[in-house]
Amino acid sequence: PQYRLIAGFRYTINDTVGENLLPRLSLIHPLDANQTLKFLYSTAFKSPSFVQQYINIPPNVVKGDPKLDAEMVSSSEMAYSAQYGRHLFVASIYQMSAEDFIFRSVNNDGEVVFSNTDSFTREGLDLDYRLARRQTQWYANVSWQFQGNQERDSDPTALFTPEWTFNIGASYQHNPHVNYGFSLHHVGERDVQSDLNILNVQASYKLERSFKFTASINKLLGEDILHPDIQNFESDRLIQSASKHPAFLVKIHYQF
């Protein structure tokens, strides 16, 4: 087995936040015909938006900060993949380092203001599995965020991030025209929000080369779709993003 190395960088000059050198690196090592190790490293930045820097709506509404720095992110990932016949398994562990992330808050005068935070890191683990059969495709994913659902001074969003997420799904090709499928999404607790489970089912019918009709029923379990108030970083406050009632959707696709 041999190694493959790809390295590069991006150099940017931004009138607002200055110059940035962003290196990137990938190293791939095939262990054998079925197994591979990969190492990835990348960096990126995000400039402050016009609203975050320059908007000013008095009195005591929104006040931007022209001195905001760009958000900087670097990530490292080590992944192991194995494929044997119809089975594919991937395990990856990663670390993300963030500097000068821009957060929204409310000051003592009731103004919405923006500021850069201290640097922080996140680590996580992802496990993926896929099984491909003649008519059926199965997939599953488990994700563990080490800092999820914790109070951390340098990382205000960690408390609103689930420690665990889980997904499982399958699709069945009944014939060349008809396909069925389902997906179950599990999101672990975050702050005062308990575990959330979302079950969706779908069926589709495809005509030759032209029309495809898809019908789906989402949120079959009837749970309230609630999320912590990450916009204002208010603990113990939940925002409803969708009704708990199941939703029936019909789509028509035309290809030409």
Side-chain angles (χ1 to χ4, degrees):
Q2 297 181 348
Y3 291 90
R4 286 184 291 168
L5 174 66
I6 302 174
F9 67 90
R10 174 188 292 180
Y11 179 72
T12 63
I13 301 176
N14 188 292
D15 292 338
T16 303
V17 295
E19 302 177 5
N20 289 280
L21 180 64
L22 307 172
R24 298 175 182 179
L25 174 70
S26 66
L27 179 63
I28 303 173
H29 176 43
L31 301 175
D32 55 34
N34 304 102
Q35 302 176 88
T36 303
L37 279 177
K38 298 179 181 179
F39 173 75
L40 305 173
Y41 174 78
S42 64
T43 56
F45 81 99
K46 177 179 178 294
S47 297
S49 68
F50 175 82
V51 171
Q52 293 168 339
Q53 283 192 299
Y54 301 115
I55 196 167
N56 187 4
I57 305 177
N60 303 333
V61 180
V62 180
K63 185 176 182 180
D65 184 355
K67 297 182 180 179
L68 289 173
D69 294 322
E71 298 177 341
M72 301 293 298
V73 180
S74 62
S75 61
S76 303
E77 179 180 358
M78 179 70 75
Y80 165 79
S81 62
Q83 183 168 8
Y84 291 91
R86 299 171 177 175
H87 303 271
L88 172 63
F89 173 74
V90 179
S92 61
I93 186 169
Y94 62 87
Q95 181 185 67
M96 180 198 74
S97 299
E99 297 181 8
D100 297 322
F101 260 42
I102 299 172
F103 289 97
R104 179 184 185 272
S105 59
V106 179
N107 63 17
N108 294 331
D109 296 327
E111 290 179 313
V112 173
V113 295
F114 304 92
S115 60
N116 293 111
T117 65
D118 296 331
S119 61
F120 63 90
T121 60
R122 293 268 188 96
E123 291 88 27
L125 172 68
D126 278 324
L127 301 176
D128 292 281
Y129 172 74
R130 291 181 182 270
L131 172 61
R133 295 187 178 276
R134 185 173 182 179
Q135 292 178 281
T136 308
Q137 302 277 340
W138 286 89
Y139 67 89
N141 166 266
V142 177
S143 179
W144 180 23
Q145 292 246 3
F146 298 163
Q147 290 81 16
N149 198 35
Q150 299 179 22
E151 292 189 16
R152 301 171 64 86
D153 293 337
S154 61
D155 183 2
T157 63
L159 181 62
F160 309 115
T161 301
E163 182 179 5
W164 291 96
T165 59
F166 173 76
N167 301 282
I168 186 171
S171 65
Y172 174 71
Q173 192 69 43
H174 180 69
N175 58 45
H177 303 284
V178 179
N179 179 275
Y180 307 103
F182 85 94
S183 63
L184 175 64
H185 308 281
H186 171 83
V187 181
E189 62 180 286
R190 296 153 292 160
D191 192 24
V192 295
Q193 170 60 40
S194 58
D195 294 356
L196 177 64
N197 298 285
I198 302 174
L199 175 63
N200 304 326
V201 296
Q202 177 178 294
S204 64
Y205 179 82
K206 184 177 182 181
L207 297 176
E208 293 291 342
R209 297 186 179 181
S210 54
F211 286 99
K212 180 180 180 181
F213 303 89
T214 302
S216 61
I217 304 177
N218 300 332
K219 300 175 295 182
L220 270 174
L221 300 179
E223 292 192 25
D224 279 318
I225 310 300
L226 302 174
H227 301 284
D229 186 6
I230 192 172
Q231 177 172 301
N232 298 299
F233 301 106
E234 291 192 17
S235 185
D236 302 333
R237 180 183 179 187
L238 295 174
I239 304 297
Q240 184 164 358
S241 61
S243 169
K244 69 177 181 180
H245 301 292
F248 182 73
L249 303 174
V250 176
K251 297 180 181 180
I252 300 176
H253 304 264
Y254 177 72
Q255 183 177 349
F256 58 91

